[in-house]
Amino acid sequence: MAADSAHASQHSPDGEETRRDFLYLVAGAMGAVGTGAFAWPLINSMNPSADVLALSSTEVDLTPIEVGQSVTVVWRDKPVFIRHRTEDEIAAANDVAINELPDPQTDADRVVKPEWLIVGGNCTHLGCVPLGQKTGDEKGEYDGWFCPCHGSHYDTSGRIRKGPAPLNLPVPPVEFLDDTTIKIG
Amino acid sequence: MMKKLVFAAAAAAVAMSLGAAQAAEGIQAPKSTWSFSGIFGTFDQAQLQRGYQVYKEVCAGCHAMDLIAFRNLAELGYNEDEVKAIAAEYDVTDGPDDEGEMFDRPARPSDYFPNPFPNAKAAAASNGGSVPPDLSLMAKARAAGPDYLKAMLMGYEEDVPESVLQQIFEIETEKNRKRAEEIGLTDYNRVESVEDLGLPDTSSFNAYFPGYGIAMAAPLGDEAVEYADGTPATLENHAADVAAFLMWTAEPALDDRKQMGIKVIIFLLIFSGVLYAAKRKCWADLH
Amino acid sequence: MSSGQPFQTNNAIIKWIDHRLPIFSLTNDTLVDYPAPRNLNYWWNFGSLAGLALVVMIVTGIVLAMQYTPHVDYAFDSVERIMRDVNGGWLIRYIHMNMASFFFIAVIIHIFRGLYYGSYKAPREILWILGVVIFLLMMATAFMGYVLPWGQMSFWGATVITNLFSAIPLVGESIVTWLWGGFSVNNPTLNRFFALHYLLPFVIVGVVILHIWALHRFGSNNPLGIDAKGPQDKIPFHPYYTVKDAFGVGVFLLIFSVFLFFAPNFLGHPDNYIPANPLSTPAHIVPEWYFLPFYAILRSVPDKLLGVVLMFASIGILFILPWLDRSPVRSCKFRPVYKWFFWVLLIACVALGWAGQEAPEGAPLYISRVATAYYFFHFLVLLPLLGVIERPKPLPASIAEPVLGGGEVWSNAAAKPMEKA
């Protein structure tokens, strides 16, 4: 009898067997749920922590930035370009056939106030920082930014015009706290 | 079952001896009732806000709290604007700016509480040679935690009940007697007043501080802080509120922990029950 | 059914893989069809519980290492950042902290189970020795892990324990300097402890695999301590022991959860929430509870070198235990005299644990000396002696007999010649 004890259950009434299988099923399901509940905090711990998230907004005072000048600020550990655009640059940004752009977007969709262009400073190709912030920089064929890594050209609205990058420079969430102070993030 | 009894006794002995390790040499801090005691206990936000007020207006003059940022105050029930306003009351050093100079700016919620002293040497120099300890973890760094902190804050000579003083005098007299006995003397010093304890001039008597001599002069008294919510400004309330606040700074996840604990334990009770039933069913064939 | 049936499947992919890499056969032979004695009691649960604890420690430890900074200036704060800012960090850190204790609880019970039922006797000597190796590695890992938060107990514990090696004549001081990588416990020490604390658990996993390998060579011992006579004495590991172990896991986690969620610092020491200060030693420095018996042995001897030697010898002696115990009978059930001394040994160990956290003077010192003396007397004198003079009770004919034939059958069985171990 002991020899085939593992199969002994087949001699028991069907009801018994069903109950046992049901218990196994419930136990297995609860074990799976429990393991998942244990695994989740471990996985979630690798997401940004509270101290990292607390630094996720940056306030910038725009007063010292002259017309035609650009500054780079840091938001979420990455550069953000702020350009105080000239009338010509604004005009150039608007004087474009939108449907011919690789990533069609009007200039008005990309700015809160036309004189202030605020875009993320990493090329949408593979993340290099494009040139064009300093006066002596190569600004590319469209007078915006030029990425030295793989030759992407951005215009005065930060839109991709030529080269391997697929998308325009991203616009971060920007809020004007007053006329000369912005909050990014 | 003999075996089980012996095992249980052994386990109890271990548990008790671990408890005994925590015992102080002086007198025990009396146990207080806290909103966060027990399995279902949670922090009382109003009390934490009062405690923060006591810390801010009294303790923060000397004691740093490096691990707490202004943003953490949101957990005390302050909204975003209130947290910003509290932070903006303080200046923090930032920089260097484009000219390479460090500059002061109003604190932001992401900033940590500023330290009252630039460094430990400055803190020691301003406080008669001893550095006021950082309070962030104080409630977990002392054996009886908030009970001790409350008792200590109320443990100065003028605040402590006469009976507690008498108890201490008896303990110390007994210690002197034993010491004398060990070296074969019959004479020993009776401790009958605080002066007989022979504390240094630079320290104050405190009934619950180890060794009784504390470098901090009594920081609190009645009316030390005026509460906005109308809670009476008594020494006991001040001490209890700030002790509760320090428990929060030491263990901010306490509420989350207990709530999760209840759920996990209910789950495991059911899980173990199901497994026991499954085990019984499985083994039923065998016996 | 129970023994040695080869692994079979109808799944073509599994067959294909198993033919080239017999991993399914191995798993099947180890955890599914593995024939286990049918009479194992709940004391046999603690091996799998220790295995579970090891897995939990490694998994939580890896995640903690992603957030921890092994530098004297940042270690304490990085641990507090885990407790405050990292998502669920307090939970992961408290699990790691408390599971360390529960790992030791499981392993200590596992060891005493082995002592009571004679699981160290032939042919399981190597199985036992590997277990002692695991215990030593665990202690090293736990000690170095306790240093990482860089609190006062971390620092002073590290200082005191590393200084033990200074007791070694002639080269002691040089060894301590080498261990520290400097003239005190400092940043190089913290860095190497972190590296080793990360490495050693994987070494433990390796030794655990050997331990299980050695176990499966002759199969588990059992409460009767006699060898299985045939298939009627054994049952397949799955489902009988998988479900029984799973139930044990449920209860173990339940008790663990009470500590984890409602008294997470009960087994710790408040002083470790004070950042390390090399200029000020806490008034009472005590090691973690699982080191207390060894600490008591160390302090029971007035001579520095002898204390250290005795402390290490208290574990070293376990390596030769299979040869110290001369009795041919494994289980204490059939050893009327030794049975009582087993409990005396347990009480001596608990007494050492108690004495270890008291100041080494007066009654605690006296008790720790008596208990230390008994500990060595037990292994070095009592066990060899009892093997000769003790008259064991008659052994049952087989495992199945008392199980199948009702409680009292075996005790009436004619005294058989001793199981030659």
Side-chain angles (χ1 to χ4, degrees):
Chain A
M1 171 203 156
D4 59 351
S5 51
H7 297 304
S9 61
Q10 68 201 30
H11 307 301
S12 352
D14 281 353
E16 279 293 291
E17 196 166 335
T18 325
R19 262 179 65 189
R20 197 190 59 187
D21 289 347
F22 175 72
L23 282 170
Y24 283 177
L25 194 70
V26 174
M30 288 188 82
V33 168
T35 311
F38 171 65
W40 171 242
L42 301 176
I43 296 163
N44 191 36
S45 74
M46 290 162 73
N47 273 320
S49 56
D51 56 329
V52 172
L53 292 174
L55 298 171
S56 61
S57 74
T58 303
E59 288 180 21
V60 183
D61 178 14
L62 300 175
T63 2
I65 311 171
E66 311 272 344
V67 176
Q69 215 186 355
S70 294
V71 297
T72 306
V73 297
V74 176
W75 174 65
R76 291 190 171 172
D77 304 335
K78 286 191 297 208
V80 170
F81 296 158
I82 302 176
R83 183 173 286 192
H84 196 171
R85 297 193 293 187
T86 61
E87 292 296 330
D88 290 348
E89 284 173 333
I90 297 168
N94 283 305
D95 186 20
V96 172
I98 302 297
N99 50 9
E100 286 172 17
L101 294 173
D103 181 15
Q105 220 178 4
T106 64
D107 186 53
D109 284 344
R110 297 175 52 78
V111 293
V112 182
K113 296 183 177 185
E115 61 271 35
W116 294 105
L117 177 70
I118 298 146
V119 289
N122 294 93
C123 182
T124 57
H125 181 217
L126 291 171
C128 297
V129 180
L131 300 171
Q133 287 295 90
K134 289 189 219 118
T135 38
D137 278 357
E138 158 86 59
K139 291 192 177 183
E141 289 174 25
Y142 298 87
D143 205 26
W145 289 271
F146 170 69
C147 183
C149 291
H150 306 95
S152 293
H153 298 256
Y154 295 92
D155 67 10
T156 55
S157 189
R159 289 173 299 203
I160 179 65
R161 300 297 285 270
K162 189 181 167 187
L167 297 171
N168 302 332
L169 291 178
V171 179
V174 172
E175 187 190 343
F176 275 81
L177 299 177
D178 56 52
D179 278 352
T180 56
T181 314
I182 54 164
K183 181 178 144 193
I184 307 173
Chain B
M1 286 290 284
M2 167 73 195
K3 261 183 286 183
K4 280 180 186 154
L5 278 177
V6 174
F7 183 70
V14 173
M16 265 162 49
S17 59
L18 284 167
Q22 319 266 323
E25 283 184 357
I27 55 168
Q28 292 278 336
K31 289 236 178 295
S32 301
T33 322
W34 301 98
S35 70
F36 50 82
S37 313
I39 294 171
F40 299 101
T42 55
F43 285 124
D44 169 6
Q45 284 194 337
Q47 184 180 38
L48 296 188
Q49 290 198 7
R50 293 196 301 273
Y52 170 56
Q53 193 188 351
V54 176
Y55 166 75
K56 184 180 164 186
E57 293 179 21
V58 182
C59 322
C62 301
H63 290 279
M65 194 173 265
D66 288 345
L67 298 174
I68 306 296
F70 291 105
R71 65 186 156 84
N72 298 132
L73 293 174
E75 290 168 41
L76 267 51
Y78 295 108
N79 64 34
E80 202 184 325
D81 290 332
E82 286 169 327
V83 171
K84 272 190 179 177
I86 293 169
E89 291 169 23
Y90 298 85
D91 274 345
V92 293
T93 306
D94 200 348
D97 63 11
D98 295 343
E99 276 76 48
E101 303 290 328
M102 301 303 280
F103 60 90
D104 282 354
R105 61 164 173 77
R108 294 194 280 253
S110 59
D111 287 314
Y112 286 79
F113 284 8
N115 198 315
F117 300 102
N119 52 55
K121 296 259 187 213
S126 313
N127 290 282
S130 48
V131 183
D134 186 286
L135 295 185
S136 312
L137 281 164
M138 198 46 86
K140 284 200 313 201
R142 295 293 180 271
D147 287 330
Y148 162 76
L149 293 174
K150 181 182 169 190
M152 184 275 291
L153 287 168
M154 298 173 68
Y156 286 87
E157 190 177 351
E158 55 275 24
D159 305 323
V160 97
E162 185 59 31
S163 59
V164 172
L165 286 178
Q166 289 309 327
Q167 217 180 318
I168 289 172
F169 298 157
E170 276 166 32
I171 291 172
E172 292 306 309
T173 305
E174 179 62 18
K175 274 191 201 164
N176 288 348
R177 193 190 63 76
K178 271 198 177 152
R179 219 169 292 144
E181 201 178 76
E182 269 167 29
I183 53 173
L185 295 174
T186 45
D187 255 13
Y188 58 90
N189 288 330
R190 284 172 197 283
V191 178
E192 277 155 355
S193 70
V194 168
E195 283 71 41
D196 292 346
L197 288 167
L199 303 175
D201 293 343
T202 49
S203 61
S204 310
F205 169 82
N206 191 300
Y208 298 97
F209 191 79
Y212 309 114
I214 186 169
M216 172 172 71
L220 295 171
D222 291 342
E223 316 290 331
V225 165
E226 196 180 325
Y227 288 134
D229 64 1
T231 304
T234 60
L235 170 64
E236 178 160 11
N237 282 344
H238 292 329
D241 292 348
V242 82
F245 172 70
L246 292 177
M247 189 63 209
W248 171 76
T249 64
E251 184 82 353
L254 182 140
D255 287 0
D256 289 349
R257 168 159 64 74
K258 289 186 176 177
Q259 279 161 18
M260 190 186 287
I262 291 163
K263 288 180 205 150
V264 169
I265 283 175
I266 291 171
F267 175 86
L268 285 173
L269 277 172
I270 299 169
F271 188 35
S272 302
V274 169
L275 285 168
Y276 184 65
K279 190 257 164 191
R280 287 286 299 264
K281 273 266 167 298
C282 173
W283 282 71
D285 315 327
L286 212 52
H287 293 310
Chain C
M1 158 80 232
S2 41
S3 66
Q5 196 187 68
F7 172 65
Q8 277 170 3
T9 176
N10 293 322
N11 186 314
I13 299 175
I14 292 182
K15 250 184 199 160
W16 187 91
I17 297 174
D18 202 63
H19 185 63
R20 283 147 184 89
L21 176 71
I23 191 164
F24 295 102
S25 303
L26 182 71
T27 312
N28 181 68
D29 295 348
T30 320
L31 288 171
V32 183
D33 280 345
Y34 166 61
R38 55 188 298 139
N39 60 336
L40 300 185
N41 57 31
Y42 275 105
W43 296 111
W44 261 262
N45 275 50
F46 289 90
S48 69
L49 292 177
L52 172 85
L54 178 60
V55 171
V56 170
M57 290 307 282
I58 288 181
V59 169
T60 52
I62 288 173
V63 178
L64 288 170
M66 294 178 188
Q67 309 281 355
Y68 170 77
T69 312
H71 187 285
V72 290
D73 292 343
Y74 304 105
F76 188 89
D77 284 356
S78 77
V79 171
E80 277 308 315
R81 203 189 132 262
I82 291 170
M83 294 294 288
R84 288 154 197 273
D85 289 335
V86 173
N87 303 307
W90 60 267
L91 177 65
I92 301 168
R93 196 260 178 144
Y94 276 156
I95 290 176
H96 199 75
M97 225 168 104
N98 285 283
M99 193 53 96
S101 285
F102 275 71
F103 193 4
F104 272 100
I105 291 172
V107 164
I108 289 167
I109 295 175
H110 190 64
I111 292 172
F112 275 98
R113 191 269 289 152
L115 288 173
Y116 188 83
Y117 294 111
S119 301
Y120 48 85
K121 294 190 188 183
R124 298 187 180 84
E125 300 96 325
I126 291 186
L127 171 62
W128 171 263
I129 288 170
L130 288 167
V132 180
V133 171
I134 293 171
F135 189 50
L136 275 175
L137 286 169
M138 275 175 69
M139 291 201 285
T141 310
F143 161 66
M144 288 189 275
Y146 194 58
V147 176
L148 302 185
W150 208 242
Q152 276 287 70
M153 281 294 162
S154 301
F155 180 87
W156 291 103
T159 301
V160 169
I161 300 300
T162 48
N163 262 319
L164 289 180
F165 293 91
S166 70
I168 302 169
L170 300 174
V171 290
E173 289 297 332
S174 316
I175 289 178
V176 173
T177 310
W178 174 77
L179 283 174
W180 288 339
F183 303 107
S184 70
V185 173
N186 211 323
N187 203 44
T189 327
L190 179 60
N191 268 290
R192 62 189 62 181
F193 278 19
F194 178 56
L196 293 172
H197 182 70
Y198 203 115
L199 168 73
L200 287 186
F202 297 96
V203 178
I204 294 178
V205 169
V207 185
V208 166
I209 289 170
L210 296 180
H211 189 68
I212 294 171
W213 192 3
L215 170 70
H216 287 214
R217 180 74 179 87
F218 293 102
S220 301
N221 183 29
N222 65 82
L224 297 173
I226 58 175
D227 290 335
K229 291 290 185 303
Q232 73 279 8
D233 288 342
K234 300 218 170 183
I235 48 176
F237 192 79
H238 179 77
Y240 294 104
Y241 287 112
T242 39
V243 73
K244 195 176 179 182
D245 278 351
F247 170 59
V249 165
V251 175
F252 182 72
L253 291 179
L254 201 55
I255 299 166
F256 171 69
S257 295
V258 172
F259 279 83
L260 170 64
F261 292 108
F262 300 106
N265 294 303
F266 179 78
L267 296 168
H269 197 287
D271 277 311
N272 225 28
Y273 283 107
I274 303 170
N277 180 356
L279 301 180
S280 147
T281 308
H284 296 286
I285 81 160
V286 284
E288 289 285 85
W289 68 267
Y290 36 81
F291 291 132
L292 289 173
F294 304 104
Y295 197 56
I297 292 176
L298 170 76
R299 297 192 308 182
S300 67
V301 186
D303 180 73
K304 183 173 168 182
L305 178 60
L306 192 60
V308 175
V309 167
L310 277 190
M311 186 181 75
F312 284 109
S314 69
I315 300 167
I317 210 168
L318 296 176
F319 282 106
I320 52 165
L321 171 62
W323 295 277
L324 290 173
D325 186 349
R326 308 297 304 164
S327 172
V329 175
R330 293 197 190 101
S331 175
C332 269
K333 274 193 174 172
F334 307 107
R335 301 190 61 185
V337 183
Y338 175 62
K339 184 183 190 165
W340 292 104
F341 287 106
F342 167 84
W343 294 107
V344 177
L345 178 72
L346 182 64
I347 290 164
C349 291
V350 172
L352 282 170
W354 169 79
Q357 42 102 57
E358 299 289 322
E361 56 192 28
L365 180 63
Y366 180 71
I367 287 171
S368 70
R369 284 184 177 162
V370 171
T372 303
Y374 178 75
Y375 185 92
F376 288 99
F377 171 76
H378 179 98
F379 286 111
L380 293 175
V381 180
L382 210 54
L383 274 176
L385 205 61
L386 281 179
V388 181
I389 61 171
E390 185 182 44
R391 215 187 123 69
K393 291 189 200 166
L395 293 172
S398 78
I399 294 172
E401 190 183 320
V403 175
L404 296 174
E408 292 308 308
V409 178
W410 51 267
S411 56
N412 303 331
K416 285 197 50 146
M418 297 298 171
E419 194 80 39
K420 205 57 192 162

